[in-house]
Amino acid sequence: MSLNSHIEWTDATWNPVRGCVKISPGCKHCYAETFAERFRGVKGHPYEQGFDLRLVPEKLTEPFLWRSAKLVFVNSMSDLFHEGVPDEYIEMVCRVMVTANWHTFQVLTKRSARMKELLRGRLRFAAEQEHIWWGVSVEDRKHGLPRIHHLRAIPARVRFLSIEPLLEDIGRFDLSGISWTIVGGESGPGARPMREEWAISIRNQCAAARVPFFFKQWGGVRKKRAGRLLQGRTHDEYPERKSAPIPERAKCSDHAQEILDSLPNTLSIPLVQFTA
Ligand code: SF4
């Protein structure tokens, strides 16, 4: 888990899965791939295997270690619903999130069909939690709008859209059942430009539908210089957060042990230390 994430709309990241495979145009300049591949072959580094997909069960219980309530972006370096991640493992991740209900978890996917299927079935217990926000990425109409459709069919309390990198005018779209919208442009070498009117159109539709709107960044090659003002001001709205009090350290340790005890033998790992 990484505290103090540089991602504007979260506090921390938690990666019980690492690596992914590109699936749509929004993945073209995937920052996670660029980062991970930098360390391929570096002995002992968490990304020694580059961006190859793998489970990281030793990270599963990390949310129980944090002593303050965080907004946690789940799998910032992967996609939880990638077809290579077994249902059983996704269920373990969900059980951690449901138990660690003093945090607020943000789960974002491009594999919305699988997310829908699981959250309407065996993972329904996690779908309906107020402290778990379920989201889909939207980069254009062709790939993004069907994902919004899937998201709306999930029995979630909080559904959100990450419209980033915004690659075209997505026009008018249905915001019913959506609790939060993030918009951002692509950053880094070769970044594809985002036009102001595309972002304004989404912001205005959110305002009309009373959906909290977060403008993340313009992006571009020099993203700091481009900043994050839209028509002269920042937009930093969030949905209402509802989370439980943080239990005593010993209780958190018990929770972690329960999770580890229920892991299949093939994934068995030692308990992380809960130091004072
Ligand atoms: S789905 Fe996300 S993590 Fe996976 S390749 Fe695409 S942008 Fe990267």
Side-chain angles (χ1 to χ4, degrees), residues 65-113:
L65 283 171
W66 262 340
R67 298 310 299 161
S68 61
K70 297 285 183 195
L71 258 178
V72 184
F73 178 16
V74 180
N75 280 332
S76 63
M77 297 293 291
S78 183
D79 187 329
L80 183 63
F81 294 96
H82 186 289
E83 50 279 15
V85 182
D87 289 358
E88 296 72 23
Y89 193 77
I90 301 175
E91 185 171 345
M92 295 300 298
V93 172
C94 286
R95 287 180 49 202
V96 172
M97 293 193 292
V98 169
T99 305
N101 61 359
W102 51 98
H103 298 305
T104 301
F105 293 94
Q106 301 159 308
V107 185
L108 179 62
T109 189
K110 286 189 175 74
R111 274 91 177 170
S112 54

Side-chain angles (χ1 to χ4, degrees), residues 22 27-38 51 77:
K22 293 180 176 181
C27 300
K28 184 175 180 189
H29 297 130
C30 172
Y31 73 89
E33 181 195 38
T34 306
F35 177 87
E37 286 299 329
R38 215 181 291 157
F51 203 45
M77 297 293 291

Side-chain angles (χ1 to χ4, degrees), residues 172-239:
R172 294 205 65 78
F173 63 105
D174 184 4
L175 278 160
S176 59
I178 304 300
S179 304
W180 190 33
T181 297
I182 302 161
V183 168
E186 192 167 52
S187 59
R192 293 161 286 183
M194 174 175 69
R195 300 242 296 259
E196 184 180 40
E197 59 267 30
W198 304 345
I200 289 172
S201 164
I202 297 168
R203 182 201 59 189
N204 292 348
Q205 290 181 67
C206 287
R210 297 178 181 274
V211 174
F213 176 80
F214 190 102
F215 186 68
K216 184 184 165 195
Q217 63 176 30
W218 283 105
V221 179
R222 291 187 187 83
K223 83 168 202 171
K224 279 203 176 131
R225 186 178 293 180
R228 49 189 305 270
L229 299 181
L230 178 60
Q231 292 197 307
R233 71 175 183 92
T234 53
H235 296 72
D236 291 328
E237 296 171 350
Y238 287 88

